[in-house]
Amino acid sequence: MPIALIDCNNFYASCEQLFQPALLGRPVVVLSNNDGCVVARSAEARALGIPMGAPWHTLKELARRHAVVALSSNYALYGDLSDRVMRILSRFSPCQEVYSIDECFLDLGGAQPNPAACGRLIHREIRRLTGITVGVGLGATKTLAKFANHCAKKRPEFAGVCPLFEMPSREADRLLAWAPVGEIWGVGRRLTARLEKQGIVTALDLKRAAPSRIRAAFSVTLERTVRELNGEACLGLMAGPGTRKQILSSRSFGALISALAPLEEAVAAYATRAGEKLRRQQLLAGSIGVFLRTNPFREDLPQNQGSLTLPLPPTDDTRLLAQTALRALRAVYRPGFAYQKAGVCLTDLVPADRRQGDLFVDAAQEKKSRSLMAAMDAINRAMGSGTVKLLAEGNDPRRAMRARLRSPRYTTRLDELPVARTEPSAAEQRTLPP
């Protein structure tokens, strides 16, 4: 069963260049909330050595020398283009696993005329219909498909599509020998260092390692990776969205905040956003955590950070989420510090339709809660986010996200649609009224 991994190239930067052709060929970086750190780079920005996660304020001189274009995150644009790409990909297979905003797995077993030709068609169609360039890797397992995708994007001879699954084993091993072990899916920096100490330097070395030895020295997860590199499928495709392990809602403040009251408003707002995501995915949360931290780059200010997680009866009720989050905040808050960021994290998530019965739950109150949350969500969908909200959220302008460099939301806002203008010809100019 050939599996394809389709990954959009430099997705955030590509979305920006799609609507601003003047950015093509230029180094472009996309910044995180409040324009803090680099979260995406164009190929040209990568070539300059700009690292992911680097604080933008440390790159100003390099940016000036190389005319780097910095843009605020435009999540509305990225999300809409991602939806378009995924809808197109769904036409090629009934079994699709959306892995992230810019990549997904497809089962291409039975693809016509053959999986490799289908992969090349996917590459062309995504480019034709959206303007986004993708890499397509095809392998016998998800790990091999991931590796094939890496080859498709890094080795020009594949022209964006690497059909690893149909290569002779000797040719496939040659590619694995070319790649450092750290390029294999799930092998991070720390694991790479440990593997290298045992003489496992390339992806081929890892493939040839004894699975039992890897399991004993590392983990069953890495053992599965070794088996997948040898063509044994250990990771199946999820036909629908899997249950998330956590839901995080956090943001840096537009200005430092020291008082408790505005921090409470921020945490209540983040709990509200997390609750909306929870209900959208039809999940319940069994615990909620709150974290708070100062700005680590302000060495002139005293530093503090804290976090606390509290249990919940499995719920998606925004009121209970906010109430519990505020209890956690008051426990970790310390006066005398200027806080830069706070966040709420929901964990112990379970599908709403699999909630375990509880004799002590008031069924009538549960029904009222579900009706109230459904009404809130319906109003906010129809009238705009935040139309109906908790009084505890307040409206402190210091919480507003800085996005001074954001491009227009070209595809989701009527007032920000791109406009094309043409100059009239000389003949037309003569006939125009003065």
Side-chain angles (χ1 to χ4, degrees):
M1 179 187 75
I3 293 174
L5 187 278
I6 300 93
D7 185 10
C8 302
N9 297 345
N10 309 314
F11 183 56
Y12 286 5
S14 295
C15 292
E16 300 290 356
Q17 291 170 325
L18 181 62
F19 288 93
Q20 300 183 68
L23 298 180
L24 291 171
R26 296 187 61 182
V28 177
V29 297
V30 177
L31 305 178
S32 62
N33 290 343
N34 285 313
D35 300 339
C37 300
V38 174
V39 296
R41 304 158 294 170
S42 67
E44 296 78 10
R46 289 172 186 261
L48 291 177
I50 296 175
M52 280 287 283
W56 175 238
H57 70 86
T58 67
L59 302 171
K60 294 293 182 68
E61 179 56 29
L62 182 146
R64 186 190 62 78
R65 291 199 311 271
H66 297 282
V68 177
V69 178
L71 297 168
S72 302
S73 295
N74 190 341
Y75 296 121
L77 176 64
Y78 311 150
D80 183 63
L81 288 175
S82 172
D83 288 344
R84 297 181 188 205
V85 170
M86 299 308 166
R87 284 199 301 272
I88 294 167
L89 291 175
S90 69
R91 303 173 190 169
F92 292 90
S93 173
C95 188
Q96 176 187 28
E97 178 187 337
V98 178
Y99 185 67
S100 69
I101 191 172
D102 63 347
E103 59 184 325
C104 87
F105 291 100
L106 291 179
D107 175 359
L108 291 185
Q112 298 298 326
N114 58 66
C118 185
R120 287 188 282 272
L121 178 60
I122 286 171
H123 186 268
R124 292 196 301 271
E125 285 296 280
I126 296 295
R127 178 69 178 174
R128 182 178 72 85
L129 295 173
T130 68
I132 300 293
T133 302
V134 299
V136 181
L138 298 102
T141 66
K142 291 175 79 172
T143 301
L144 286 172
K146 264 277 196 180
F147 175 69
N149 181 273
H150 174 72
C151 295
K153 295 202 291 186
K154 297 297 182 182
R155 297 185 65 105
E157 67 264 32
F158 293 117
V161 181
C162 175
L164 186 71
F165 80 101
E166 67 177 19
M167 292 182 184
S169 58
R170 182 177 297 179
E171 188 175 348
D173 284 353
R174 180 177 58 82
L175 288 173
L176 289 165
W178 157 75
V181 69
E183 295 296 343
I184 295 301
W185 187 28
V187 179
R189 187 171 62 249
R190 292 182 181 177
L191 192 52
T192 296
R194 290 178 60 199
L195 287 167
E196 289 176 346
K197 287 180 180 177
Q198 297 202 22
I200 300 175
V201 177
T202 69
L204 183 60
D205 295 333
L206 184 59
K207 175 188 175 182
R208 290 177 173 171
S212 57
R213 170 197 165 198
I214 293 297
R215 180 171 185 164
F218 296 92
S219 67
V220 67
T221 301
L222 191 59
E223 179 200 6
R224 291 194 191 105
T225 299
V226 173
R227 294 187 183 280
E228 287 240 331
L229 287 173
N230 284 277
E232 179 184 342
C234 300
L235 305 170
L237 260 64
M238 294 185 293
T243 300
R244 296 180 63 172
K245 294 182 178 179
Q246 64 177 31
I247 289 177
L248 178 67
S249 179
S250 70
R251 184 176 292 176
S252 297
F253 306 134
L256 299 179
I257 297 177
S258 298
L260 177 60
L263 291 172
E264 288 178 328
E265 293 182 355
V267 166
Y270 301 155
T272 297
R273 301 290 89 73
E276 290 170 350
K277 294 178 184 178
L278 199 64
R279 294 189 293 275
R280 224 171 14 242
Q281 296 171 44
Q282 299 181 338
L283 298 172
L284 303 175
S287 59
I288 184 168
V290 170
F291 69 87
L292 194 60
R293 78 173 192 201
T294 53
N295 186 345
F297 298 103
R298 289 292 303 271
E299 297 178 357
D300 57 319
L301 296 175
Q303 299 293 312
N304 179 259
Q305 59 181 356
S307 64
L308 179 64
T309 298
L310 296 176
L312 291 164
T315 186
D316 61 6
D317 190 313
T318 292
R319 297 169 300 171
L320 181 55
L321 295 175
Q323 182 184 56
T324 310
L326 291 176
R327 279 174 46 213
L329 171 68
R330 291 161 191 151
V332 300
Y333 169 75
R334 298 291 180 270
F337 295 95
Y339 291 100
Q340 182 215 19
K341 187 173 185 178
V344 167
C345 185
L346 304 180
T347 50
D348 297 329
L349 306 182
V350 296
D353 60 357
R354 297 183 198 169
R355 176 178 180 171
Q356 187 173 352
D358 189 333
L359 291 173
F360 302 100
V361 170
D362 186 329
Q365 283 300 114
E366 279 291 302
K367 185 176 180 180
K368 288 181 180 179
S369 167
R370 289 194 296 271
S371 297
L372 177 60
M373 294 300 108
M376 284 181 62
D377 292 341
I379 293 170
N380 287 332
R381 279 195 303 270
M383 307 300 294
S385 179
T387 301
V388 177
K389 62 182 182 179
L390 300 180
L391 180 62
E393 294 182 51
N395 194 30
D396 192 329
R398 288 175 293 180
R399 295 205 319 269
M401 186 173 68
R402 288 195 302 266
R404 292 187 293 265
L405 307 173
R406 194 196 68 215
S407 56
R409 291 157 289 189
Y410 300 103
T411 63
T412 58
R413 292 286 294 264
L414 286 173
D415 57 338
E416 297 180 20
L417 285 174
V419 177
R421 295 185 176 88
T422 59
E423 291 294 329
S425 66
E428 289 172 327
Q429 285 180 343
R430 286 194 295 270
T431 61
L432 289 175

